[in-house]
Amino acid sequence: MAYSFIFYMLSALFLVLLPLPDTRNTCALQSPDTVHYSLVPFYFIWDVINSSSVVWSQPSTYIQIFKQSAFLQAAFNFLLLLPLGVYLRYFFQHKRFWKKALGLGFALSLFFETTQITGIYGIYNCPYRIFDVDDLLLNSTSALFGFIIAPVILALFPSRNNLIAKGEKMQESPLVPPLSQLLAVFIDYLLIKISWTLTVGLFTTSGFAEFVYKTICFFILFYVVPFIWDGKTIGTNILRFKLINVDGEVPMWQYLLKRFFALYLPLATSWFLTIFAGIELDITSNLYPYHVWITVTIFAFLIIMWAVLFIHTMFILIKRGKRNFYFDYVADLVPRKK
């Protein structure tokens, strides 16, 4: 919630300020009599009415109001700080703080308008957007409205108390969620891919060179690192768990070597067979028919292998950590929280 709130605040600020002018001398882009403020409350209502092609005696034309830029501008100004009210209700946790929500909405809107009228506090010599009192009214009202309707929106998400209780329960549980285990393996493998792309991959596209490089890196990350680091890889450390043997002790090298091969063999098989299938032979070659049949066999084998691994993964996810993945099972290793 905190991170999404920061993202929302940055997005709201960018919506108010961007796009930035190409020059700091914005005065040169405007006529001398340009007015940079609008201090008439509710002027947007008259602006919507005057800019629309509505015939009041014909109700069918009323829909034209919703297509006018003046109406859309007012509507989006109203929506701009509505999420702020929802966030404030989540953080304050009680409806009696509605005055604070209204005041904070007004203060944030005033900050936006002041930033605009000052040309981002002097960066530009003239404002490139106007100070509008209607924006203050719409923004403040929308923050209050968001605060009022927040329970309806927040009902779709876990409450703050439930999240805290669930987090405490997860800390007490020694089981590591299977999704975290998969993510740890993915992080380690992603590091291998990135390191190849940023190093040797810049100078060669050889499939064999990539196979050798990834094999070496795979051995380092999935065997050497956990052997030195008491059962932790980079991925498991990020996800806050480590590998232990069934007795709860630091795994010996034999266990880690089994786990390395269990993880490495499916990928190595895919890499090797893909390289072999990529060999091009002339159609007139005597080996061409054999190459075709071997390629088809390789393709079928890869489909079956990854289908079995996919089914196995889905089964473990359904069990929610009560069963180990095959690469930990064959190595007699157990993932446990640090």
Side-chain angles (χ1 to χ4, degrees):
M1 288 296 292
Y3 291 138
S4 66
F5 177 71
I6 294 172
F7 177 78
Y8 158 69
M9 293 296 288
L10 289 172
S11 301
L13 180 63
F14 292 156
L15 284 171
V16 171
L17 298 183
L18 300 182
L20 298 175
D22 295 330
T23 175
R24 296 181 63 181
N25 185 21
T26 51
C27 291
L29 305 176
Q30 307 168 11
S31 60
D33 58 346
T34 299
V35 178
H36 299 110
Y37 54 85
S38 175
L39 302 179
V40 180
F42 305 107
Y43 183 77
F44 74 93
I45 297 177
W46 304 108
D47 196 17
V48 170
I49 294 175
N50 293 332
S51 62
S52 65
S53 56
V54 174
V55 179
W56 298 108
S57 60
Q58 301 178 11
S60 61
T61 63
Y62 291 177
I63 195 174
Q64 297 298 325
I65 293 178
F66 303 104
K67 300 179 180 180
Q68 300 300 320
S69 60
F71 171 82
L72 294 175
Q73 182 177 349
F76 286 121
N77 267 312
F78 180 81
L79 293 175
L80 179 63
L81 295 191
L82 190 145
L84 175 66
V86 178
Y87 277 107
L88 293 177
R89 184 63 175 270
Y90 178 84
F91 293 130
F92 290 154
Q93 291 287 303
H94 203 283
K95 63 182 179 181
R96 69 175 183 271
F97 295 109
W98 66 269
K99 293 181 181 179
K100 289 186 177 181
L102 180 62
L104 289 172
F106 178 82
L108 182 58
S109 179
L110 183 62
F111 166 73
F112 287 160
E113 298 301 315
T114 304
T115 304
Q116 291 176 335
I117 194 64
T118 58
I120 313 184
Y121 306 102
I123 293 179
Y124 299 96
N125 57 7
C126 279
Y128 61 94
R129 293 189 179 182
I130 69 171
F131 180 101
D132 194 341
V133 69
D134 281 341
D135 290 351
L136 286 173
L137 297 173
L138 290 168
N139 293 159
S140 305
T141 305
S142 68
L144 177 60
F145 183 71
F147 188 85
I148 294 172
I149 68 169
V152 178
I153 299 175
L154 294 175
L156 302 175
F157 303 95
S159 69
R160 186 180 181 184
N161 293 333
N162 288 341
L163 288 175
I164 294 174
K166 184 177 180 180
E168 293 175 348
K169 183 178 180 181
M170 290 177 63
Q171 290 296 329
E172 297 173 356
S173 173
L175 293 177
V176 179
L179 197 59
S180 297
Q181 299 177 43
L182 286 179
L183 187 57
V185 174
F186 175 76
I187 290 174
D188 291 325
Y189 179 69
L190 186 62
L191 291 175
I192 297 175
K193 292 281 291 184
I194 293 175
S195 66
W196 161 261
T197 303
L198 298 180
T199 55
V200 183
L202 296 173
F203 306 100
T204 180
T205 59
S206 170
F208 180 75
E210 183 177 2
F211 173 76
V212 173
Y213 178 89
K214 288 183 176 180
T215 298
I216 296 173
C217 290
F218 212 92
F219 180 78
I220 294 173
L221 284 182
F222 287 94
Y223 176 72
V224 177
V225 171
F227 179 73
I228 298 174
W229 207 359
D230 296 332
K232 292 182 291 185
T233 68
I234 296 176
T236 62
N237 188 60
I238 293 175
L239 274 297
R240 296 180 175 274
F241 71 91
K242 63 179 181 180
L243 301 170
I244 59 175
N245 61 24
V246 292
D247 298 324
E249 300 176 352
V250 176
M252 299 178 64
W253 66 269
Q254 297 95 327
Y255 300 96
L256 295 175
L257 191 61
K258 290 180 181 179
R259 184 176 188 269
F260 157 72
F261 277 114
L263 281 167
Y264 173 73
L265 287 178
L267 291 172
T269 303
S270 297
W271 295 339
F272 178 77
L273 295 181
T274 301
I275 294 173
F276 182 84
I279 298 175
E280 296 184 1
L281 292 178
D282 189 271
I283 196 171
T284 59
S285 172
N286 293 331
L287 298 177
Y288 184 79
Y290 300 101
H291 182 265
V292 171
W293 282 109
I294 293 175
T295 302
V296 172
T297 304
I298 289 173
F299 183 71
F301 175 79
L302 290 177
I303 291 178
I304 295 173
M305 181 184 71
W306 287 111
V308 171
L309 291 176
F310 176 78
I311 295 172
H312 167 75
T313 301
M314 291 298 101
F315 177 77
I316 300 300
L317 290 175
I318 293 173
K319 289 294 183 179
R320 297 182 179 181
K322 296 178 181 178
R323 297 285 297 272
N324 285 340
F325 286 104
Y326 77 95
F327 44 81
D328 288 331
Y329 178 79
V330 298
D332 292 327
L333 294 176
V334 181
R336 283 294 179 265
K337 294 181 179 179
K338 294 190 294 183

